[in-house]
Amino acid sequence: MKTGRIIRSLSGYYDIQISSGEVQRTRARGEFRKSGQKPLVGDFVDFESENDEGLIWKIHPRENVLVRPPIANIDVAVIVTALKEPDFAPNLLDRQLVALAAARVTPLIYFTKSDLLNESEYIYATEVLNRYLKIGYTTILPAINNTNNNFFELRSELRGKVAVFMGQTGAGKSTLLNHLSPELGLETGVVSKALSRGKHTTRQVTLIQVDDALIADTPGFSSYEVFDFPVEQLADYFPEFVAVRQNCRFRGCLHLNEPGCAVKESLTLGAIAQSRYNSYKAFYDLIKSQKPRYKTDNRNI
C-alpha cells in the first residue's frame, strides 16, 4: 500500500504524486461511490498500483475542502485583487474572505495593478492595505515600480504550500502566475490553458509545481456566490467583530439595531472600518433573502 496526494482528476482517473515525486494513475474503488464519497484533488489517499493503473483504497481526513473548484487540503488561498481596471471592490474582497473563513481556508490578499496608480491613489491603496493588516489578514501591496523583487514576499508565503488563486476576471491572476514562474515561458493568456482553464475545454482541477509550491488556478471559482451557513454565524467570519462582541450587552447580538452593541461602538470610534460593516450588513441581507438550498445527491465533496 502506498500513500500520496491527488494532483489531478479527469474522467474518473486520479493522478497521485508520492513522496519521491513520481506520479501514478489510479481509479477509485466502487465502494466510494456507494458510500457517497468522492476523491478530490488535494486529498491524501492510500492506494495500490499494478502495471499502469492503481486503485484508491482510503481517503485520509481532510483539513478543509472547497466545492468549486472541488479541491481539498488547501494551505492558502491567494485572493488576487485589482486596485484599478477593474476598480477596487471592497464588497467582493470581503465576500471572498467570508467564504474562505467558512471553509476554514487561510486567505492571503494580493493587490495587483499598483503600477497603474498615481501617487494619491497609491496612498489610498496603502490605507486599504493597513485596514486589512490591522484585522489580521496577510496582505501584500507591490511597489509602484512593480519590479520582480515585488514577488519575493509572495514566493516566501507560498513556499512548501498548496495554494489556490482566486479573483475576479481581469484582476491579473494569469499575469501573477507568469511572474511567479517565468520558466514556464508562457505569454499572458496562455497560462490559463496550461492550467486547464481554456474556454470550451473540459474543466479539471490540477495542482502544478510553481517554484516550491503546488498551485491550482481556479476555473470559475464561485464558492462565495452563495453563503451556505445560517445568518447567525456571519459575524464569526469577521475577525474584528469577534474581537469585541463579548462586550455586547445582549448575548446573540446581531450587531444591527440592538442597544449596547460593542461592534457598533467600535464602528463609531473608528476601530472597525465602515466598509467592513457595510459588507456585513449587505451579506446579512443576502443570507436572509436566500432560498433554502437542497442537495440533489449525496456525493461527499
Side-chain angles (χ1 to χ4, degrees):
M1 194 75 69
K2 302 176 184 178
T3 298
R5 186 201 300 269
I6 299 175
I7 63 169
R8 185 179 301 107
S9 169
L10 182 64
S11 302
Y13 288 97
Y14 301 92
D15 290 345
I16 300 175
Q17 186 175 57
I18 58 178
S19 57
S20 66
E22 179 185 355
V23 176
Q24 299 185 10
R25 178 150 291 186
T26 65
R27 282 186 177 273
R29 296 172 64 218
E31 283 75 4
F32 287 117
R33 188 179 301 107
K34 295 176 184 177
S35 64
Q37 288 184 296
K38 182 179 181 180
L40 298 178
V41 169
D43 272 334
F44 288 98
V45 296
D46 295 335
F47 69 101
E48 291 181 337
S49 60
E50 295 181 5
N51 301 321
D52 295 331
E53 187 175 309
L55 199 62
I56 296 174
W57 283 83
K58 177 184 177 182
I59 302 172
H60 291 206
R62 294 163 177 159
E63 292 293 326
N64 51 43
V65 61
L66 294 176
V67 174
R68 188 177 299 177
I71 184 171
N73 302 315
I74 308 106
D75 296 314
V76 61
V78 180
I79 307 176
V80 183
T81 304
L83 294 165
K84 198 169 188 177
E85 297 181 12
D87 291 339
F88 173 59
N91 181 280
L92 176 59
L93 174 56
D94 292 338
R95 183 183 288 240
Q96 294 167 327
L97 289 168
V98 167
L100 291 173
R104 304 192 308 278
V105 177
T106 300
L108 185 156
I109 305 168
Y110 190 94
F111 290 110
T112 59
K113 305 192 179 181
S114 58
D115 56 315
L116 301 180
L117 305 180
N118 59 38
E119 185 175 350
S120 62
E121 289 171 333
Y122 190 81
I123 291 173
Y124 171 72
T126 303
E127 294 172 354
V128 172
L129 168 84
N130 290 331
R131 179 191 310 165
Y132 287 94
L133 283 175
K134 180 181 177 182
I135 296 170
Y137 295 113
T138 300
T139 308
I140 300 175
L141 172 64
I144 291 181
N145 58 20
N146 204 26
T147 65
N148 286 333
N149 290 333
N150 288 324
F151 303 105
F152 176 80
E153 185 177 356
L154 180 58
R155 288 192 181 100
S156 177
E157 291 287 345
L158 297 180
R159 188 168 296 125
K161 296 179 179 178
V162 175
V164 166
F165 276 59
M166 54 189 287
Q168 67 191 122
T169 301
K173 295 189 299 294
S174 295
T175 300
L176 181 56
L177 284 166
N178 219 17
H179 279 294
L180 286 174
S181 189
E183 63 272 16
L184 289 176
L186 300 174
E187 296 178 1
T188 303
V190 181
V191 176
S192 294
K193 293 183 180 180
L195 296 173
S196 304
R197 293 182 66 251
K199 292 181 179 179
H200 310 301
T201 62
T202 300
R203 288 185 173 184
Q204 67 183 64
V205 179
T206 302
L207 290 174
I208 63 169
Q209 194 79 37
V210 176
D211 291 336
D212 298 321
L214 285 173
I215 293 179
D217 195 23
T218 58
F221 191 106
S222 61
S223 291
Y224 52 84
E225 289 179 0
V226 177
F227 292 134
D228 195 15
F229 52 79
V231 72
E232 292 79 12
Q233 293 181 11
L234 177 60
D236 296 347
Y237 308 129
F238 283 76
E240 66 271 49
F241 288 24
V242 174
V244 300
R245 67 183 179 184
Q246 72 274 10
N247 297 321
C248 289
R249 180 184 302 177
F250 299 106
R251 185 176 181 180
C253 180
L254 293 174
H255 320 302
L256 296 172
N257 302 312
E258 301 89 341
C261 173
V263 169
K264 293 290 291 291
E265 182 179 354
S266 295
L267 176 67
T268 301
L269 296 173
I272 290 177
Q274 184 67 53
S275 65
R276 291 280 291 173
Y277 186 74
N278 291 346
S279 291
Y280 172 81
K281 289 200 301 182
F283 302 159
Y284 182 92
D285 292 340
L286 175 65
I287 296 171
K288 290 288 285 186
S289 66
Q290 282 176 178
K291 295 180 180 180
R293 300 178 67 199
Y294 302 100
K295 294 183 179 180
T296 57
D297 56 44
N298 64 347
R299 289 179 298 175
N300 180 20
I301 62 171

